[in-house]
Coordinates of all heavy atoms in Angstrom, one line a residue:
I15 N 76.2 -67.2 71.2 CA 76.6 -65.9 71.4 C 76.9 -65.6 72.9 O 77.8 -65.0 73.2 CB 75.7 -64.9 70.8 CG1 75.6 -65.0 69.3 CG2 76.0 -63.5 71.1 CD1 74.6 -64.2 68.6
K16 N 76.0 -66.1 73.7 CA 76.1 -65.8 75.1 C 77.4 -66.5 75.7 O 78.0 -65.9 76.6 CB 74.9 -66.3 75.9 CG 73.7 -65.5 75.6 CD 72.5 -66.0 76.4 CE 71.2 -65.2 76.0 NZ 70.1 -65.7 76.7
S17 N 77.7 -67.7 75.2 CA 78.9 -68.4 75.8 C 80.2 -67.8 75.3 O 81.2 -67.8 76.0 CB 78.8 -69.9 75.5 OG 78.9 -70.1 74.1
V18 N 80.2 -67.3 74.0 CA 81.4 -66.8 73.4 C 81.6 -65.3 73.7 O 82.7 -64.9 73.9 CB 81.4 -67.1 71.9 CG1 82.6 -66.4 71.2 CG2 81.3 -68.5 71.6
G19 N 80.5 -64.6 73.8 CA 80.6 -63.2 74.1 C 80.3 -62.3 72.9 O 79.9 -61.1 73.1
H20 N 80.5 -62.7 71.7 CA 80.1 -61.9 70.5 C 80.2 -62.8 69.3 O 80.8 -63.9 69.3 CB 81.1 -60.7 70.4 CG 82.5 -61.1 70.0 ND1 83.4 -61.4 71.0 CD2 83.1 -61.2 68.8 CE1 84.5 -61.7 70.4 NE2 84.4 -61.6 69.1
V21 N 79.7 -62.3 68.2 CA 79.8 -63.1 67.0 C 81.0 -62.5 66.2 O 81.4 -61.4 66.4 CB 78.5 -62.9 66.1 CG1 77.4 -63.7 66.7 CG2 78.2 -61.5 65.8
N22 N 81.6 -63.3 65.4 CA 82.8 -62.9 64.7 C 82.6 -62.1 63.4 O 83.5 -61.5 62.9 CB 83.7 -64.1 64.3 CG 84.3 -64.7 65.6 OD1 84.6 -64.0 66.5 ND2 84.5 -66.0 65.6
W23 N 81.3 -62.1 62.9 CA 81.0 -61.4 61.7 C 80.0 -60.3 62.0 O 79.2 -60.5 62.9 CB 80.3 -62.4 60.7 CG 81.2 -63.6 60.3 CD1 81.3 -64.7 61.0 CD2 82.1 -63.6 59.2 NE1 82.3 -65.5 60.4 CE2 82.7 -64.9 59.3 CE3 82.4 -62.8 58.2 CZ2 83.7 -65.3 58.4 CZ3 83.3 -63.2 57.3 CH2 83.9 -64.5 57.4
T24 N 80.0 -59.2 61.3 CA 79.1 -58.1 61.4 C 78.6 -57.7 60.1 O 79.3 -57.7 59.1 CB 79.8 -57.0 62.2 OG1 78.8 -56.0 62.5 CG2 80.9 -56.4 61.5
W25 N 77.4 -57.2 60.1 CA 76.8 -56.6 58.9 C 77.4 -55.3 58.6 O 77.4 -54.4 59.5 CB 75.3 -56.5 59.1 CG 74.4 -56.2 58.0 CD1 73.7 -55.0 57.8 CD2 74.2 -56.9 56.8 NE1 73.0 -55.1 56.7 CE2 73.3 -56.2 56.0 CE3 74.6 -58.2 56.3 CZ2 72.8 -56.7 54.8 CZ3 74.2 -58.6 55.1 CH2 73.3 -57.9 54.3
S26 N 77.9 -55.0 57.4 CA 78.6 -53.8 57.1 C 78.2 -53.2 55.7 O 77.8 -53.9 54.8 CB 80.1 -54.1 57.0 OG 80.6 -54.5 58.3
G27 N 78.3 -51.9 55.6 CA 78.2 -51.2 54.4 C 79.5 -51.2 53.7 O 80.6 -51.1 54.3
L28 N 79.5 -51.3 52.3 CA 80.7 -51.3 51.5 C 80.6 -50.4 50.3 O 79.5 -50.3 49.8 CB 81.0 -52.8 51.0 CG 81.0 -53.8 52.1 CD1 80.8 -55.2 51.5 CD2 82.3 -53.8 52.9
V29 N 81.7 -49.7 50.0 CA 81.7 -48.9 48.8 C 82.7 -49.5 47.8 O 83.9 -49.7 48.2 CB 82.1 -47.4 49.1 CG1 82.2 -46.6 47.8 CG2 81.1 -46.8 50.1
V30 N 82.3 -49.9 46.6 CA 83.1 -50.4 45.6 C 83.8 -49.3 44.9 O 83.2 -48.4 44.3 CB 82.3 -51.3 44.7 CG1 83.2 -51.9 43.6 CG2 81.6 -52.4 45.4
E31 N 85.1 -49.3 44.8 CA 85.9 -48.3 44.2 C 86.1 -48.5 42.7 O 87.2 -48.5 42.2 CB 87.3 -48.1 44.9 CG 87.2 -47.9 46.4 CD 86.6 -46.6 46.8 OE1 86.7 -45.6 46.0 OE2 86.0 -46.5 47.9
S32 N 85.0 -48.8 42.0 CA 85.0 -49.1 40.6 C 83.6 -48.9 40.1 O 82.6 -49.1 40.8 CB 85.4 -50.5 40.4 OG 85.1 -50.9 39.1
P33 N 83.4 -48.4 38.8 CA 82.1 -48.3 38.3 C 81.4 -49.7 37.9 O 80.3 -49.7 37.7 CB 82.3 -47.5 37.0 CG 83.7 -47.7 36.7 CD 84.5 -47.9 37.9
A34 N 82.2 -50.7 37.9 CA 81.7 -52.1 37.6 C 81.0 -52.7 38.8 O 81.4 -52.5 39.9 CB 82.9 -53.0 37.2
I35 N 79.9 -53.3 38.5 CA 79.1 -54.0 39.6 C 79.6 -55.4 39.6 O 79.5 -56.1 38.6 CB 77.6 -53.9 39.3 CG1 77.2 -52.4 39.4 CG2 76.8 -54.7 40.3 CD1 75.7 -52.2 39.1
P36 N 80.1 -55.8 40.8 CA 80.6 -57.2 40.9 C 79.5 -58.3 40.9 O 78.4 -58.0 41.2 CB 81.4 -57.2 42.2 CG 80.9 -56.0 43.0 CD 80.3 -55.1 42.0
T37 N 79.8 -59.5 40.4 CA 78.9 -60.6 40.4 C 78.9 -61.2 41.8 O 79.9 -61.4 42.5 CB 79.4 -61.6 39.4 OG1 79.6 -61.0 38.2 CG2 78.4 -62.8 39.3
L38 N 77.7 -61.5 42.3 CA 77.5 -62.0 43.6 C 77.3 -63.5 43.6 O 76.8 -64.1 42.6 CB 76.2 -61.4 44.3 CG 76.3 -59.9 44.5 CD1 75.0 -59.4 45.0 CD2 77.5 -59.5 45.4
P39 N 77.6 -64.2 44.7 CA 78.3 -63.7 45.9 C 79.7 -63.4 45.6 O 80.4 -64.1 44.8 CB 78.1 -64.9 46.9 CG 78.0 -66.1 46.0 CD 77.4 -65.7 44.8
C40 N 80.2 -62.4 46.3 CA 81.6 -61.9 46.0 C 82.4 -62.0 47.3 O 82.0 -61.3 48.3 CB 81.4 -60.5 45.5 SG 82.9 -59.8 44.8
K41 N 83.4 -62.8 47.4 CA 84.3 -62.9 48.6 C 85.2 -61.7 48.7 O 85.6 -61.1 47.8 CB 85.2 -64.1 48.5 CG 84.4 -65.4 48.3 CD 83.5 -65.8 49.4 CE 82.8 -67.1 49.2 NZ 81.9 -67.4 50.2
L42 N 85.4 -61.3 50.0 CA 86.3 -60.2 50.3 C 87.5 -60.7 51.0 O 87.4 -61.7 51.8 CB 85.6 -59.2 51.3 CG 84.3 -58.6 50.7 CD1 83.6 -57.8 51.9 CD2 84.6 -57.6 49.6
H43 N 88.7 -60.1 50.8 CA 89.9 -60.6 51.4 C 90.8 -59.4 51.7 O 90.6 -58.3 51.2 CB 90.6 -61.6 50.6 CG 90.9 -61.2 49.2 ND1 92.1 -60.4 48.9 CD2 90.3 -61.3 48.0 CE1 92.1 -60.2 47.6 NE2 91.0 -60.7 47.1
D44 N 91.8 -59.6 52.6 CA 92.7 -58.6 52.9 C 94.1 -58.8 52.2 O 95.0 -58.2 52.6 CB 92.9 -58.5 54.4 CG 93.6 -59.7 55.0 OD1 93.7 -60.7 54.3 OD2 93.9 -59.7 56.2
G45 N 94.1 -59.6 51.2 CA 95.3 -59.9 50.5 C 95.8 -61.3 50.8 O 96.3 -61.9 49.9
A46 N 95.6 -61.8 52.0 CA 96.1 -63.1 52.3 C 94.9 -64.1 52.7 O 95.0 -65.2 52.3 CB 97.0 -63.0 53.6
K47 N 93.9 -63.6 53.3 CA 92.8 -64.5 53.7 C 91.5 -63.9 53.5 O 91.3 -62.7 53.5 CB 93.0 -64.9 55.2 CG 92.9 -63.7 56.2 CD 93.2 -64.2 57.6 CE 93.3 -63.0 58.5 NZ 93.5 -63.3 59.8
E48 N 90.5 -64.8 53.4 CA 89.1 -64.4 53.2 C 88.6 -63.8 54.5 O 88.7 -64.4 55.6 CB 88.2 -65.6 52.8 CG 86.8 -65.2 52.5 CD 86.0 -66.4 52.1 OE1 86.5 -67.2 51.3 OE2 84.9 -66.5 52.6
I49 N 88.0 -62.6 54.5 CA 87.5 -62.0 55.7 C 86.0 -61.5 55.6 O 85.5 -60.8 56.4 CB 88.4 -60.8 56.1 CG1 88.7 -59.8 55.0 CG2 89.7 -61.3 56.7 CD1 87.7 -58.7 55.0
G50 N 85.4 -61.8 54.5 CA 84.0 -61.4 54.3 C 83.4 -61.8 53.0 O 84.0 -62.5 52.2
E51 N 82.1 -61.3 52.8 CA 81.4 -61.6 51.6 C 80.3 -60.5 51.3 O 79.6 -60.1 52.2 CB 80.7 -63.0 51.7 CG 79.9 -63.4 50.5 CD 79.3 -64.8 50.6 OE1 79.6 -65.5 51.6 OE2 78.5 -65.1 49.7
M52 N 80.3 -60.0 50.1 CA 79.3 -59.1 49.7 C 78.0 -59.9 49.3 O 78.1 -60.9 48.6 CB 79.7 -58.4 48.4 CG 80.3 -57.0 48.6 SD 80.5 -56.1 47.1 CE 82.2 -56.6 46.7
T53 N 76.9 -59.5 49.9 CA 75.7 -60.2 49.6 C 74.7 -59.4 48.8 O 73.8 -60.0 48.2 CB 75.0 -60.5 51.0 OG1 74.7 -59.3 51.7 CG2 75.8 -61.5 51.8
S54 N 74.8 -58.1 48.7 CA 73.9 -57.3 47.7 C 74.7 -56.1 47.3 O 75.6 -55.6 48.0 CB 72.6 -56.9 48.4 OG 72.9 -56.1 49.5
V55 N 74.5 -55.7 46.0 CA 75.2 -54.6 45.5 C 74.4 -53.9 44.5 O 73.5 -54.5 43.8 CB 76.5 -55.1 44.8 CG1 76.3 -56.0 43.7 CG2 77.4 -54.0 44.4
L56 N 74.5 -52.5 44.4 CA 73.8 -51.7 43.4 C 74.5 -50.4 43.2 O 75.4 -50.0 44.0 CB 72.4 -51.5 43.9 CG 72.2 -50.7 45.2 CD1 72.0 -49.2 44.9 CD2 71.0 -51.2 46.0
E57 N 74.1 -49.8 42.1 CA 74.7 -48.5 41.8 C 73.8 -47.4 42.4 O 72.6 -47.4 42.1 CB 74.8 -48.3 40.3 CG 75.5 -47.0 39.9 CD 75.7 -46.8 38.4 OE1 75.4 -47.8 37.7 OE2 76.1 -45.7 38.0
S58 N 74.3 -46.6 43.3 CA 73.5 -45.5 43.9 C 73.5 -44.3 43.1 O 74.5 -43.6 42.9 CB 74.0 -45.2 45.3 OG 73.4 -44.1 45.8
P59 N 72.3 -43.9 42.5 CA 72.3 -42.6 41.7 C 72.6 -41.4 42.6 O 73.2 -40.4 42.1 CB 70.9 -42.6 41.1 CG 70.2 -43.8 41.6 CD 71.1 -44.5 42.5
G60 N 72.1 -41.4 43.8 CA 72.3 -40.3 44.7 C 73.8 -40.1 45.1 O 74.3 -38.9 45.1
L61 N 74.5 -41.2 45.4 CA 75.9 -41.1 45.8 C 76.8 -41.1 44.6 O 78.0 -40.9 44.7 CB 76.2 -42.2 46.7 CG 75.5 -42.2 48.1 CD1 75.8 -43.5 48.9 CD2 75.8 -41.0 48.9
K62 N 76.3 -41.6 43.4 CA 77.1 -41.8 42.2 C 78.3 -42.7 42.5 O 79.4 -42.5 42.0 CB 77.6 -40.4 41.7 CG 76.5 -39.5 41.2 CD 77.0 -38.2 40.7 CE 75.9 -37.4 40.1 NZ 74.8 -37.0 41.0
K63 N 78.0 -43.8 43.2 CA 79.0 -44.8 43.5 C 78.3 -46.2 43.5 O 77.0 -46.3 43.6 CB 79.5 -44.6 44.9 CG 80.3 -43.4 45.1 CD 80.9 -43.3 46.5 CE 81.7 -42.0 46.7 NZ 82.2 -41.8 48.0
V64 N 79.1 -47.2 43.4 CA 78.5 -48.6 43.6 C 78.7 -48.9 45.1 O 79.7 -48.8 45.7 CB 79.3 -49.6 42.8 CG1 78.8 -51.0 43.0 CG2 79.2 -49.3 41.3
I65 N 77.5 -49.2 45.7 CA 77.5 -49.6 47.1 C 77.0 -51.0 47.3 O 76.4 -51.6 46.5 CB 76.6 -48.6 48.0 CG1 75.2 -48.6 47.5 CG2 77.2 -47.2 47.9 CD1 74.2 -47.8 48.3
A66 N 77.4 -51.6 48.5 CA 77.0 -53.0 48.7 C 76.8 -53.2 50.2 O 77.2 -52.3 51.1 CB 78.2 -53.9 48.3
L67 N 76.2 -54.3 50.6 CA 76.1 -54.8 51.9 C 76.7 -56.1 52.0 O 76.7 -56.9 51.0 CB 74.6 -54.8 52.4 CG 73.9 -53.5 52.4 CD1 72.4 -53.7 52.7 CD2 74.4 -52.6 53.5
G68 N 77.2 -56.5 53.2 CA 77.8 -57.8 53.3 C 78.2 -58.1 54.7 O 78.1 -57.2 55.6
Y69 N 78.8 -59.2 54.9 CA 79.3 -59.6 56.2 C 80.8 -59.5 56.2 O 81.5 -59.9 55.3 CB 78.9 -61.1 56.6 CG 77.4 -61.2 56.8 CD1 76.6 -61.7 55.8 CD2 76.9 -60.9 58.0 CE1 75.2 -61.8 56.0 CE2 75.5 -61.0 58.2 CZ 74.7 -61.5 57.2 OH 73.3 -61.6 57.5
V70 N 81.4 -58.9 57.3 CA 82.8 -58.7 57.4 C 83.2 -59.2 58.8 O 82.5 -58.9 59.7 CB 83.2 -57.2 57.2 CG1 84.7 -57.0 57.3 CG2 82.7 -56.8 55.8
K71 N 84.4 -59.8 58.9 CA 84.9 -60.1 60.2 C 85.0 -58.9 61.1 O 85.4 -57.8 60.6 CB 86.2 -60.9 60.1 CG 86.1 -62.3 59.7 CD 87.4 -63.1 59.9 CE 87.1 -64.5 59.5 NZ 88.3 -65.3 59.7
R72 N 84.7 -59.0 62.3 CA 84.6 -57.9 63.2 C 85.9 -57.1 63.3 O 85.9 -55.9 63.3 CB 84.3 -58.4 64.6 CG 84.1 -57.3 65.7 CD 83.6 -57.9 67.0 NE 82.3 -58.5 66.9 CZ 81.2 -57.8 66.9 NH1 81.2 -56.5 67.0 NH2 80.0 -58.4 66.8
D73 N 87.1 -57.7 63.2 CA 88.4 -57.0 63.2 C 88.6 -56.1 62.0 O 89.4 -55.2 62.0 CB 89.5 -58.0 63.3 CG 89.5 -58.8 64.5 OD1 88.9 -58.4 65.5 OD2 90.1 -59.9 64.5
Y74 N 87.8 -56.3 60.9 CA 88.0 -55.5 59.7 C 86.8 -54.6 59.4 O 86.7 -54.0 58.3 CB 88.2 -56.5 58.5 CG 89.4 -57.3 58.6 CD1 89.4 -58.5 59.2 CD2 90.6 -56.8 58.1 CE1 90.5 -59.3 59.3 CE2 91.8 -57.6 58.2 CZ 91.7 -58.8 58.8 OH 92.9 -59.6 58.9
A75 N 85.9 -54.5 60.3 CA 84.6 -53.8 60.1 C 84.6 -52.3 60.4 O 83.6 -51.6 60.3 CB 83.5 -54.4 60.9
A76 N 85.7 -51.7 60.7 CA 85.8 -50.3 61.0 C 85.7 -49.5 59.7 O 86.3 -49.8 58.7 CB 87.1 -49.9 61.7
P77 N 84.8 -48.4 59.7 CA 84.7 -47.6 58.5 C 86.0 -47.1 58.0 O 86.9 -46.7 58.8 CB 83.8 -46.4 59.0 CG 83.0 -47.0 60.1 CD 83.9 -48.0 60.8
G78 N 86.3 -47.2 56.7 CA 87.5 -46.7 56.1 C 88.5 -47.9 55.9 O 89.5 -47.7 55.2
T79 N 88.2 -49.0 56.4 CA 89.1 -50.2 56.1 C 89.0 -50.6 54.7 O 87.9 -50.7 54.1 CB 88.7 -51.4 57.0 OG1 88.7 -51.0 58.4 CG2 89.6 -52.6 56.8
V80 N 90.1 -50.8 54.0 CA 90.2 -51.1 52.6 C 90.4 -52.6 52.5 O 91.3 -53.2 53.1 CB 91.3 -50.4 51.9 CG1 91.4 -50.8 50.5 CG2 91.2 -48.9 52.0
L81 N 89.5 -53.2 51.7 CA 89.5 -54.7 51.4 C 89.6 -54.9 49.9 O 89.6 -53.9 49.2 CB 88.2 -55.3 51.9 CG 87.8 -55.0 53.4 CD1 86.5 -55.6 53.7 CD2 88.9 -55.6 54.3
A82 N 89.7 -56.1 49.5 CA 89.8 -56.4 48.1 C 88.8 -57.5 47.8 O 88.5 -58.3 48.6 CB 91.2 -56.8 47.7
S83 N 88.4 -57.5 46.5 CA 87.5 -58.6 46.0 C 88.0 -58.8 44.6 O 87.6 -58.1 43.6 CB 86.1 -58.2 46.0 OG 85.3 -59.2 45.4
G84 N 88.8 -59.8 44.4 CA 89.5 -60.0 43.1 C 90.3 -58.8 42.8 O 91.2 -58.4 43.5
D85 N 90.1 -58.1 41.7 CA 90.8 -56.9 41.3 C 90.1 -55.6 41.8 O 90.7 -54.6 41.6 CB 90.9 -56.8 39.7 CG 91.7 -58.0 39.2 OD1 92.6 -58.5 39.9 OD2 91.5 -58.3 38.0
L86 N 89.0 -55.8 42.4 CA 88.3 -54.6 42.9 C 88.7 -54.2 44.3 O 89.1 -55.0 45.1 CB 86.8 -54.9 43.0 CG 86.1 -55.2 41.7 CD1 84.6 -55.5 42.0 CD2 86.1 -54.0 40.7
R87 N 88.7 -52.9 44.5 CA 89.0 -52.3 45.9 C 87.7 -52.0 46.5 O 86.9 -51.3 45.9 CB 89.9 -51.1 45.7 CG 90.4 -50.5 47.0 CD 91.3 -49.4 46.6 NE 91.1 -48.3 47.6 CZ 92.0 -47.5 48.0 NH1 93.2 -47.5 47.4 NH2 91.7 -46.6 48.9
V88 N 87.5 -52.4 47.8 CA 86.3 -52.1 48.5 C 86.6 -51.5 49.8 O 87.5 -51.9 50.5 CB 85.6 -53.5 48.7 CG1 84.3 -53.3 49.5 CG2 85.3 -54.2 47.4
T89 N 85.8 -50.4 50.2 CA 86.1 -49.7 51.4 C 84.8 -49.9 52.3 O 83.7 -49.8 51.9 CB 86.3 -48.2 51.2 OG1 87.3 -48.1 50.3 CG2 86.6 -47.5 52.5
V90 N 85.1 -50.3 53.6 CA 84.0 -50.4 54.6 C 83.4 -49.0 54.9 O 84.2 -48.1 55.1 CB 84.5 -51.1 55.9 CG1 83.4 -51.2 56.9 CG2 85.1 -52.5 55.6
A91 N 82.1 -48.9 54.9 CA 81.4 -47.6 55.1 C 80.4 -47.8 56.2 O 79.9 -48.8 56.5 CB 80.8 -47.1 53.9
Q92 N 80.0 -46.6 56.8 CA 78.9 -46.6 57.8 C 77.6 -46.8 57.1 O 77.4 -46.3 56.0 CB 78.9 -45.3 58.6 CG 80.0 -45.3 59.7 CD 79.8 -44.0 60.5 OE1 79.5 -43.0 60.0 NE2 80.0 -44.2 61.8
I93 N 76.7 -47.4 57.8 CA 75.3 -47.5 57.3 C 74.5 -46.5 58.2 O 74.6 -46.6 59.4 CB 74.7 -48.9 57.4 CG1 75.6 -49.9 56.7 CG2 73.3 -49.0 56.9 CD1 75.3 -51.3 56.9
P94 N 73.6 -45.7 57.7 CA 73.2 -45.6 56.3 C 74.2 -44.8 55.5 O 75.0 -44.0 56.0 CB 71.9 -44.8 56.4 CG 72.1 -43.9 57.6 CD 72.9 -44.8 58.6
F95 N 74.2 -45.1 54.2 CA 75.1 -44.4 53.3 C 74.6 -43.0 53.1 O 73.4 -42.8 52.7 CB 75.1 -45.1 51.9 CG 75.6 -46.5 51.9 CD1 74.8 -47.6 52.0 CD2 77.0 -46.7 51.9 CE1 75.3 -48.9 52.0 CE2 77.5 -48.0 51.9 CZ 76.7 -49.1 52.0
V96 N 75.4 -42.0 53.3 CA 75.0 -40.6 53.1 C 76.1 -39.8 52.5 O 77.2 -40.1 52.6 CB 74.5 -39.9 54.4 CG1 73.1 -40.4 54.8 CG2 75.5 -40.0 55.5

C-alpha cells in the first residue's frame, strides 16, 4: 500500500433492489466487467430492505452507484445503514 499509494478495493455497504436474498459469494459487475463481490447479506427489518456488505473497486464505491449481480440491481450505500 505504501509503494502504490492506495488499495484498489474498498469495503462498502450495498442495498439489493429486490426482496430476494442472493446466494453468496455474489459477484458484482457494471455490465461489462467484474468490479466487486458481496460477502454478507441479510434482510433488515428496520429498513425493510435487503442490505449487504462487500468489496467494490474504488472507482465504483461512491454512494448511489448502481451495480448489477446477475439479474439483481445493487446500489452502493453509506455505512452505517440508516
